[in-house]
Every structure is written in C-alpha cells, then in structure tokens.
Amino acid sequence: MATKARVMYDFAAEPGNNELTVNEGEIITITNPDVGGGWLEGRNMKGERGLVPTDYVEILPSDGKDQFSCGNSVADQAFLDSLSASTTQASSSAASSNHQVGSGSDPWSAWSASKSGNWESSEGWGAKPDGAGAQRNTNTSDHWDTAFGHPQAYQGPATGDDDDWDEDWDGPKSSSYFKDSESADAGGVQRGNSRASASSMKIPLNKFPGFAKPGTEQYLLAKQLAKPKEKIPIIVGDYGPMWVYPTSTFDCVVADPRKGSKMYGLKSYIEYQLTPTNTNRSVNHRYKHFDWLYERLLVKFGSAIPIPSLPDKQVTGRFEEEFIKMRMERLQAWMTRMCRHPVISESEVFQQFLNFRDEKEWKTGKRKAERDELAGVMIFSTMEPEAPDLDLVEIEQKCEAVGKFTKAMDDGVKELLTVGQEHWKRCTGPLPKEYQKIGKALQSLATVFSSSGYQGETDLNDAITEAGKTYEEIASLVAEQPKKDLHFLMECNHEYKGFLGCFPDIIGTHKGAIEKVKESDKLVATSKITPQDKQNMVKRVSTMSYALQAEMNHFHSNRIYDYNSVIRLYLEQQVQFYETIAEKLRQALSRFPVM
C-alpha cells in the first residue's frame, strides 16, 4: 500500500525547481521518500508530482488514517527534542543551535512578496517567523537555465548521491544539539534550510511557536559562565565596536574539480582542490564536506554572525561542465567570504577544514566540532568587549537600527535582482531579435534595390547590406553583454541577499534577550532571581549588543568595498559595450557614398 502523508504547512513551489505546491491539511502520496537533502517526492490528488520538504509533512499510519499520532513526523521529533531540552537545562551546558533562514526566495526568479516573507516593519522582520516560501533555502543555483534568462537560475534541491556521507568518512553522530535546540524567542523558530534535516548532525526544526529559547536563558541566567579557552575580543575603533582582525589575511582558491567514484564506480562525485594562500598546501573536499562546514558554522556562530547558504544541491546534470563551473564559482565566492571574516576565518573548525593532513585528523576534528558546546547563544560567552557596559535603552536602540537597515537593504537588493533579471531576459530575448529584424530588413531592401538593374547604385546597395550585417552583429553583442557585466552585479546582490536573509534570526535572538531582561524586574520582585542576576543579564545582553555592532561594522566595510567594485565594473563594461557598438555603426556609416 502506498505511503500517505499529511501536509503540516503550506509550501509554495518555486518555478523550474521540480517542486510541488501543497497546502496545510492536504493528503499526498509519497512516491520516493529517499530523495535526500531533506526532500521527498510526492503526488497530490490531481496526479501532480514534485519535491516537498520532508519536515513539512507527517507520515500517516499504514492504514492511511490521520490519527495525529505523536512521534511519526520530524515536527513531532523536534517537539520532543524541545521538551527534552527544557528538562535538561539545569544539568546540561551543551550549546544551543539557532538555525537561520538561508536566504529566502530565489534571486533569479521573479521575486514575490508572498513567497519571500516581506515583513511590514523592521519590528516584524526581526521578530516574526517567515512564510513557508521564504523559509526554504533557495539561495543559489548551479547551472545554465534559459527558463529564467540567467545562467544561474535556481534549479531546486538535489537528490544526488554526492550528498550522502561516505561511511569511511563518517563518525558517530553527536546528539548534544538535539538536547538544546533553540526556538525563536520573539515568535518561534523559523523553519530553516531543509538541507539541515538530512545533515550528518541533524538540527531539529521546531514547528511549535511560543517555546522559550533555552539557550538564551542558559546564557543570561547562568550564575557564572565558564571561562572558555577560545576568546573573541571586541574593541572600539574609529567607527565603533569591531572584531579584532588578524595581522595577516588569507584567501582560499577553489579549483581543479575532478570526478571521483566509490562502490566500484556505482556512485560518482566531484571533488575540489582547496588551497589556502597562507599555506599553499592543498586539501580536497567534496560538496558534502562544504555542506558539513556550513552547518557547523551555522550552529556555532549563527546567533551572532550571518552565515549565508552554499550553492544548492541538484537533482540532475551534476557532472555537466557548466554546472561544475558555476558551482565552483559560487563555492569560491562563499569561501572567500568566510576567509574575509576575522572570527570565522580564525575559528578552529574552519582552520581544521582547510589544514587537516590525513583522514584520521579529519575524523578527529569533525567529531570534535560536532561536540562543541560553545555554540548557538553560548557563543556570546566567549566574547569580551573592551568597553563599558551599555544600558538597556541603548542596546534596544542599536538593535532597532540594525533591524531597520537590514530590512531596507533586503528590499533594495531584491528590487535590483528583480530588475536585473528582467533586463537579462530582455537582453537575451526580445532585444537581440529586434536588432536582427532591422538587419534582415535592411538586407532585404538592398536585395530589392539590386533587382532594379540600375548600375549606379551598387555602392549604396553594398553599404545597406553591410549596415544590415552590422545590426546582426549588434544583436549578438547585446545577447552576450549580460555575462560580462550584469552577471557580476547580480552575483554580488545574490550573495548579499544570502547575508541579509540571516538577519531576522539574529535580530530575533537579540530582541528575545532584551525582552527577558525587561521581564527580570518581575522575577526579582517574586524572588525568582536576585538583583545580581539581573545585573548579570544586562551585562550579557550588552555583550550581545557589542557583538551585533561589531558584525555590522564588518558588514558595512565589506558592503562599501563590494558595491564600489562591482558597480564600477558594471559601468566600465557598459561604456566599453556602447563604444564597441558606436564604432561598428561608424564603420557602417563610412561605407555610404557621400552625395
């Protein structure tokens, strides 16, 4: 008997992604439960088939009846995990994980407010969970697609075998984060990247808004925080709080993709060579290893630092040249971003990813990272601002300012992506055809003129013919130009959209902590906490505020550099483009006889 499932949340499919739109309460038939990457394939009552996130459905009993039985869905498991977390806080110091939204809706498809969670105010943007369409990670893509006009049009989640961990590379899975999963303080957990639900260290996705965030309380109310070996200093510079940057920086070159195989050739994968510029010693990693690193960074730093998602996995075409080329380009951009960050680049897990020497060292480092307790909100316990404590009013003002700016920039980036996509489609579709029509019409006119038999018009007819050919050449130039300039502008916006998609969770964490401090007077009045406990809470929220300001200073400095570079490049290429067209038109004009 076919397996049935009840849809627990509305899910809006993105065009061209092989996904299936489903509605809450709908019953679907699961046609392939093992697609991978946090997805399954299902068929609705209309016979339509497509991919649906695993954590959006609840498997029904074999008789097909919806009994709402506990324990038969990912959401139920997350619920139990949350309860487990709340009952083990007193004895457990394990860090909690704050799973962020990836980057919202696909930048290369026409953006829709209904799908991307277009919050109405900065308050709601930082406090309310997104809509289902925005909570899925449709951050990136990896191969050419003419359906949306841009070569990086998103192609949906992967079902490929390259994303399953090799048995000989996989150690026992840590369970510490099942105990301390966080839900969003100000409005429940936002459903994050569905890829995480099938990761090597699963991050539970709590679907029940309203649960307290145990990690925040653990951090704010701990009598005394353990002094960790790792410390993240925050200093005050010319522009306010800032991370301490290393004396020497480095990048990581992602290159030399090679096809490998396992299981006697039954399974294939692409492996990339990574070479840090500070060591010049190369290591090799598959995409799934990048995915593991992303999730470790997200779990550890995601409450304080935006960790944009990787290029998405893909169902088909994983070994096509253009797909590999675009995946490598985006992996390179992602690694460069991580290398630029003074905290991420110096972290033990990131350094281990780049510098392990053999399989044994990799396994040891991998297991250590998965057991790291200084993660989630507890990452703030490692931070030491070299500045006086802030009062609650100033902390709240700083948080509001960050929320307002990031929300406004998110809107601006999405608008430019939408306009850019429309321009790309026009440049690669209707506009070249218009130039071609002009060219062919001119050549047809020259043919008609030539049929007159009049000997004195040969030069004119030849000139008209060449003018027609010039317009056909211009058509080709117009079609190719977006790859030379618009591509880089769109990619830059694409990356920043990924960063900005992380801020709602970060802002929500800060607002949740602020609210708990505001409630502390009642707790003091009822003797549930002491005045000293409240003072500690204010001090720790102050630390969180300094971290937020330091991250925003890093964000702004990168933003100014990146947009200055990419827009200059765009304009330079546009100038060159129009100068080339002008020169071709001058050459065509010079062929006409002077009367």
Side-chain angles (χ1 to χ4, degrees):
M1 184 175 181
T3 303
K4 302 286 186 179
R6 181 176 66 89
V7 178
M8 297 187 295
Y9 310 98
D10 291 343
F11 175 80
E14 291 288 344
N17 294 352
N18 301 320
E19 298 171 358
L20 177 66
T21 296
V22 291
N23 299 311
E24 182 178 353
E26 182 179 354
I27 304 299
I28 65 172
T29 300
I30 297 178
T31 54
N32 184 357
D34 300 318
V35 170
W39 298 79
L40 56 80
E41 183 185 60
R43 183 178 66 248
N44 62 18
M45 299 299 289
K46 299 178 182 178
E48 299 168 334
R49 296 176 63 167
L51 302 178
V52 178
T54 304
D55 55 312
Y56 277 46
V57 303
E58 179 182 40
I59 308 300
L60 298 179
S62 57
D63 60 5
K65 295 180 180 178
D66 184 1
Q67 301 175 355
F68 297 92
S69 57
C70 185
N72 64 347
S73 71
V74 176
D76 290 334
Q77 183 60 52
F79 173 67
L80 295 175
D81 292 336
S82 177
L83 293 180
S84 174
S86 63
T87 57
T88 57
Q89 285 304 307
S91 60
S92 172
S93 60
S96 55
S97 59
N98 184 15
H99 189 62
Q100 298 176 357
V101 173
S103 63
S105 58
D106 171 35
W108 299 125
S109 63
W111 179 74
S112 166
S114 63
K115 291 183 180 180
S116 60
N118 188 16
W119 304 272
E120 295 178 359
S121 67
S122 59
E123 172 74 17
W125 193 64
K128 292 186 289 187
D130 295 343
Q135 290 153 350
R136 291 176 295 113
N137 174 25
T138 54
N139 184 36
T140 53
S141 62
D142 302 290
H143 74 282
W144 302 91
D145 183 354
T146 57
F148 294 104
H150 190 275
Q152 286 79 33
Y154 171 74
Q155 291 302 303
T159 60
D161 290 326
D162 67 326
D163 301 308
D164 298 325
W165 282 92
D166 289 342
E167 292 179 2
D168 57 343
W169 278 69
D170 226 5
K173 307 301 186 292
S174 168
S175 61
S176 62
Y177 293 99
F178 278 91
K179 297 177 182 178
D180 294 294
S181 172
E182 295 176 1
S183 60
D185 261 327
V189 149
Q190 299 178 352
R191 289 189 290 278
N193 184 348
S194 56
R195 170 170 61 225
S197 65
S199 67
S200 60
M201 196 293 296
K202 294 180 177 61
I203 303 173
L205 305 176
N206 193 341
K207 298 299 188 301
F208 299 89
F211 281 91
K213 181 178 285 188
T216 302
E217 293 179 349
Q218 178 186 354
Y219 169 65
L220 293 178
L221 295 174
K223 292 295 182 182
Q224 185 173 359
L225 295 173
K227 293 186 177 181
K229 295 180 180 179
E230 58 177 304
K231 295 183 185 296
I232 304 175
I234 301 173
I235 61 175
V236 178
D238 294 338
Y239 298 98
M242 58 184 291
W243 306 118
V244 175
Y245 287 77
T247 54
S248 60
T249 59
F250 68 95
D251 198 356
C252 177
V253 179
V254 182
D256 195 23
R258 297 184 179 182
K259 188 174 182 179
S261 62
K262 62 179 183 177
M263 294 179 65
Y264 304 99
L266 294 177
K267 291 189 176 183
S268 299
Y269 55 86
I270 299 295
E271 190 172 62
Y272 301 88
Q273 182 185 77
L274 278 67
T275 308
T277 57
N278 58 342
T279 64
N280 287 322
R281 191 180 68 83
S282 299
V283 295
N284 294 322
H285 280 298
R286 293 165 57 181
Y287 176 88
K288 65 180 184 181
H289 302 155
F290 285 93
D291 199 38
W292 175 87
L293 175 64
Y294 159 71
E295 289 178 1
R296 298 301 351 127
L297 294 177
L298 184 65
V299 167
K300 185 170 180 64
F301 297 108
S303 293
I305 297 171
I307 309 294
S309 296
L310 290 169
D312 270 311
K313 305 168 188 177
Q314 179 155 315
V315 180
T316 59
R318 291 183 291 117
F319 304 116
E320 294 177 2
E321 183 178 352
E322 289 299 339
F323 169 80
I324 294 171
K325 175 184 175 183
M326 292 314 305
R327 168 171 278 187
M328 186 170 70
E329 179 182 337
R330 289 192 163 179
L331 287 174
Q332 175 68 76
W334 191 85
M335 286 299 297
T336 295
R337 292 286 178 189
M338 298 300 102
C339 290
R340 269 197 209 180
H341 199 286
V343 176
I344 300 296
S345 63
E346 295 294 301
S347 65
E348 186 175 1
V349 62
F350 191 74
Q351 287 290 326
Q352 190 268 345
F353 184 80
L354 294 178
N355 297 312
F356 72 94
R357 295 185 177 275
D358 52 40
E359 185 178 329
K360 180 179 179 181
E361 188 174 331
W362 165 260
K363 283 183 177 180
T364 301
K366 178 176 177 289
R367 291 168 183 167
K368 182 178 180 182
E370 290 172 353
R371 294 176 180 138
D372 186 0
E373 295 183 349
L374 293 174
V377 180
M378 293 307 295
I379 192 63
F380 294 111
S381 68
T382 69
M383 297 178 182
E384 297 183 343
E386 298 178 6
D389 295 341
L390 301 172
D391 62 49
L392 194 60
V393 173
E394 186 173 3
I395 291 171
E396 195 164 15
Q397 290 174 344
K398 297 293 185 183
C399 185
E400 290 292 339
V402 172
K404 184 177 180 180
F405 174 81
T406 50
K407 170 62 173 67
M409 183 175 174
D410 188 59
D411 291 341
V413 165
K414 287 173 179 174
E415 181 182 5
L416 186 53
L417 285 170
T418 300
V419 171
Q421 181 209 341
E422 291 171 353
H423 183 63
W424 186 292
K425 290 167 67 175
R426 188 165 176 267
C427 287
T428 55
L431 195 55
K433 291 179 182 178
E434 292 299 319
Y435 282 104
Q436 288 172 350
K437 288 179 181 178
I438 294 173
K440 291 185 182 299
L442 287 172
Q443 292 177 72
S444 296
L445 183 63
T447 300
V448 172
F449 284 179
S450 298
S451 67
S452 69
Y454 185 71
Q455 298 299 317
E457 63 177 342
T458 302
D459 290 345
L460 173 62
N461 294 342
D462 289 346
I464 295 175
T465 299
E466 289 303 316
K469 291 180 179 178
T470 297
Y471 273 90
E472 289 185 327
E473 291 175 7
I474 291 174
S476 297
L477 290 174
V478 170
E480 291 297 318
Q481 187 60 27
K483 297 176 185 177
K484 299 178 181 179
D485 49 31
L486 186 57
H487 166 78
F488 300 102
L489 180 60
M490 295 287 275
E491 283 294 302
C492 181
N493 274 271
H494 192 187
E495 287 187 71
Y496 272 89
K497 185 171 179 293
F499 279 111
L500 293 163
C502 300
F503 275 101
D505 263 359
I506 294 175
I507 298 300
T509 298
H510 284 259
K511 288 187 175 182
I514 291 169
E515 289 303 315
K516 289 189 183 300
V517 174
K518 288 181 177 180
E519 295 169 3
S520 61
D521 286 333
K522 296 179 182 178
L523 298 177
V524 172
T526 56
S527 300
K528 292 182 179 179
I529 64 172
T530 66
Q532 181 61 46
D533 291 333
K534 178 188 174 181
Q535 186 176 343
N536 289 341
M537 291 175 71
V538 175
K539 181 179 182 64
R540 289 165 189 173
V541 173
S542 176
T543 296
M544 294 175 67
S545 180
Y546 276 119
L548 181 61
Q549 294 175 65
E551 182 54 35
M552 286 309 296
N553 274 329
H554 175 76
F555 180 86
H556 287 316
S557 64
N558 278 272
R559 173 180 58 84
I560 292 168
Y561 174 84
D562 291 334
Y563 277 91
N564 180 64
S565 300
V566 77
I567 294 178
R568 279 182 60 90
L569 173 64
Y570 179 78
L571 294 176
E572 289 168 356
Q573 289 295 319
Q574 283 281 291
V575 168
Q576 184 176 333
F577 167 63
Y578 285 109
E579 286 179 343
T580 301
I581 291 177
E583 181 58 31
K584 286 186 174 295
L585 291 173
R586 288 191 194 97
Q587 291 176 5
L589 177 62
S590 68
R591 295 177 182 273
F592 283 80
V594 178
M595 305 301 290

